Amino acid sequence: MNTISNLNFSGKRAIIRVDFNVPLNSDFNITDDTRIRATIPTINKILKDGGSVILMSHLGRPKDGPTDKYSLKHIVNHLSNLLKTEVKFADDCIGESAKTMSANLKAGEVLLLENLRFYKEEEKGDVDFAKELASLANVYVNDAFGTAHRAHASTAVIAQFFPHAKYFGFVMAAEVESATKVMNHAAKPFVAIMGGSKVSDKILIIENLLERADTIIIGGGMAYTFFKAMGYEIGNSICELDKLDVAIDVLKKAEAKGVTIMLPTDNIVADEFNNDANILEIKGDHIGDGWMGLDIGTETQNDYTEEILKAKTVLWNGPMGVFEMESFEGGTKAIALACAAATKKGAFTLIGGGDSVAAINKYKMADKVSYVSTGGGALLEFMEGKVLPGIAAIES
Ligand code: 3PG
Ligand code: MG
C-alpha cells in the first residue's frame, strides 16, 4: 500500500479525508471519539515531518445545506486537545476563506474545514467540487476508512487531481491490513461470529465467509429467522419471513462445504421488549406464543466460548442479544470476553461493525482484542468482497 510512511511531508500541505462522523449528545459533546483518536498518528506524522494539515470530513447526513447541528465546529476543541495544538477552523469547506486559510498555514499547523456534506456536490461525487478541494493542498491523504465505501467527491473523485501525490493514512493501512488478514490469510481454525437482528444485512458477508471460515456462529435476532426456516416455533421473536429460503440456502451451502454453523441451543425469552419483562431461560428450539427471544442462553454462551477459544482467527460482527438492556446482555458480554481470551491465547481477533464495537467498549475489552475497526458499513462491504471506492482511488 502506498502509505504516508513513504513520504517526507516537510514543506508540504496535505489535505486529509478523515471520518469524524462521531456521535454527539444534545450539548454537542462527543460521546465516542474513537474515530478522531484513530487519526492522530497520521496527523502527527505529517506535522512532525514539517508539513501542514487540512482536515476534511462529513458529520451526519445533513439534507439542506449548512445546519448548526452538523457543524464540525463542535469538534474543534476536542481535536485541539488531542493534538495538543490549536486547530483552526474554516466555516466553509471551499471558497475564499478556505483558500486563504489553507494558503496561510505554516509548517506544523492544522486547519479543519466545515462539513463537506453541506454541499450536495460531495455525495454526488461532483468533479468541480473535488477540484476546489484539491486546489487547497499539494498532497492528498485518505484516512477515512469508515467512509471508504462511498464514491464521494472527497473520498474518491478528488484523487485524480493528485496522480503522483495520493496516499493512505495509518488508519486506512491498519484497517485494510487487518481485514485482509482475516478474509484472505486467516490462520485456521477461523471462527466468524455473526449477530444483529437481520439476516438480510449480513447475507452477503455470510456467503463470503462460507468460502473461508471453519465455523460460523450465529446469534442475535437473525437466529430466529434460521429457527423459523428450520420449522421451529419462535413465538413473537423477530423474524424476516421473506428470508426463510435464504437461511435454508446458507445451511445447505454450509453443509456442502463442510462449514459448521452454530445456532443457539437455549435462549433468554421475555414476554415484552423490556428490561423488566417476565424473563425465562429455555432449552431447545421451541419458543411459545407470547414470548420472544432476546438473548442466547447460558449453554449457548458456553458452547460459543469453547469454539472461539479453539480459533486462531476470529471475526465478530453484531451482538448476540439486546445488550443495551441488562437483562439481555449476557450473550454479547460472553462473546466479548471470549474474544479477549482467544486473543490472549494467540488468536487474531477483529471486531467490527457499529454494535459489536459499542459492545466491546462497554465491556472494556477493546484493548484486549487484536483490532477494533472504525468502519461500520465500510468494513461490511470490504468483508463482502466489494472494492471500496476510497481504496481503489488511491490504488489506481
Ligand atoms: C458511517 O458512520 O457509517 C460513515 O461515517 C459513513 O456515513 P454514511 O453512512 O452517512 O455515508
Ligand atoms: Mg453508515
Side-chain angles (χ1 to χ4, degrees):
M1 284 183 93
N2 196 18
T3 75
I4 53 170
S5 307
N6 299 329
L7 186 70
N8 185 326
F9 284 78
S10 174
K12 309 254 187 229
R13 196 156 73 227
I15 189 161
I16 316 179
R17 180 40 157 117
V18 286
D19 187 342
F20 285 174
N21 185 27
V22 292
L24 300 174
N25 65 17
S26 53
D27 298 324
F28 301 110
N29 290 317
I30 300 161
T31 54
D32 180 351
D33 69 348
T34 310
R35 284 176 162 178
I36 302 178
R37 273 186 292 111
T39 63
I40 301 300
T42 294
I43 300 168
N44 277 338
K45 138 83 181 162
I46 296 172
L47 300 180
K48 212 167 150 237
D49 277 0
S52 55
V53 165
I54 301 163
L55 297 168
M56 58 175 172
S57 180
H58 73 288
L59 175 63
R61 292 177 173 172
K63 287 284 161 275
D64 307 302
T67 320
D68 188 72
K69 182 177 163 198
Y70 297 117
S71 174
L72 280 166
K73 73 181 180 199
H74 301 305
I75 69 152
V76 172
N77 283 339
H78 190 66
L79 181 61
S80 298
N81 290 337
L82 290 175
L83 284 169
K84 301 186 181 74
T85 184
E86 185 212 332
V87 172
K88 299 172 195 292
F89 182 68
D91 60 8
D92 191 348
C93 63
I94 56 170
E96 277 319 307
S97 67
K99 273 205 181 82
T100 314
M101 291 183 87
S102 301
N104 289 340
L105 279 181
K106 295 188 200 67
E109 289 188 334
V110 182
L111 171 67
L112 174 66
L113 304 178
E114 182 56 288
N115 195 338
L116 296 158
R117 289 191 186 171
F118 286 172
Y119 287 88
K120 291 200 175 24
E121 287 82 352
E122 162 65 357
E123 289 178 74
K124 283 188 187 143
D126 184 86
V127 179
D128 295 325
F129 178 71
K131 195 173 179 183
E132 286 280 311
L133 294 169
S135 73
L136 302 177
N138 41 38
V139 181
Y140 171 62
V141 177
N142 192 343
D143 215 17
F145 181 74
T147 325
H149 57 320
R150 308 290 183 214
H152 293 172
S154 67
T155 59
V157 180
I158 190 174
Q160 65 191 275
F161 299 106
F162 300 91
H164 307 293
K166 49 181 186 175
Y167 298 87
F168 290 110
F170 293 138
V171 176
M172 271 286 207
E175 293 275 0
V176 171
E177 192 192 329
S178 62
T180 306
K181 189 166 177 167
V182 167
M183 291 315 268
N184 298 340
H185 313 287
K188 301 279 197 163
F190 173 14
V191 175
I193 309 146
M194 292 285 119
S197 54
K198 291 182 179 166
V199 176
S200 52
D201 286 344
K202 303 288 160 74
I203 187 60
L204 294 175
I205 173 167
I206 291 175
E207 297 214 318
N208 205 5
L209 287 167
L210 285 171
E211 309 291 333
R212 296 153 208 275
D214 299 291
T215 301
I216 302 178
I217 287 176
I218 293 186
M222 73 165 135
Y224 305 109
T225 298
F226 279 89
F227 280 166
K228 181 82 183 174
M230 292 156 81
Y232 301 160
E233 301 291 333
I234 59 164
N236 298 339
S237 307
I238 188 171
C239 178
E240 287 177 284
L241 287 172
D242 60 338
K243 292 290 175 290
L244 302 183
D245 51 340
V246 171
I248 291 295
D249 193 51
V250 166
L251 297 174
K252 279 193 188 140
K253 279 187 186 152
E255 192 173 3
K257 290 178 191 299
V259 176
T260 305
I261 302 265
M262 293 181 82
L263 283 158
T265 54
D266 58 352
N267 292 280
I268 308 291
V269 302
D271 61 353
E272 269 180 66
F273 187 78
N274 184 331
N275 195 44
D276 303 317
N278 292 307
I279 295 169
L280 297 172
E281 178 165 40
I282 54 161
K283 292 276 277 176
D285 37 48
H286 180 94
I287 298 176
D289 281 346
W291 295 89
M292 63 183 94
L294 294 177
D295 195 9
I296 58 174
T298 318
E299 178 184 275
T300 307
Q301 285 180 27
N302 293 337
D303 292 346
Y304 285 6
T305 298
E306 201 179 302
E307 190 70 10
I308 292 164
L309 289 177
K310 285 187 223 152
K312 289 267 181 302
T313 305
V314 178
L315 167 67
W316 178 26
N317 174 269
M320 297 292 104
V322 188
F323 75 100
E324 299 85 347
M325 297 183 197
E326 209 181 315
S327 304
F328 315 111
E329 70 170 347
T332 304
K333 190 173 182 180
I335 298 296
L337 295 173
C339 287
T343 315
K344 205 170 173 190
K345 281 184 69 188
F348 183 80
T349 51
L350 169 59
I351 321 300
D355 284 344
S356 28
V357 174
I360 205 86
N361 287 329
K362 180 173 180 188
Y363 304 119
K364 309 224 175 335
M365 293 291 139
D367 57 357
K368 298 191 166 57
V369 295
S370 307
Y371 194 76
V372 179
S373 177
T374 58
L379 182 75
L380 290 185
E381 290 197 23
F382 190 98
M383 298 278 172
E384 287 168 5
K386 292 196 180 124
V387 172
L388 306 189
I391 293 176
I394 304 275
E395 280 174 346
S396 70

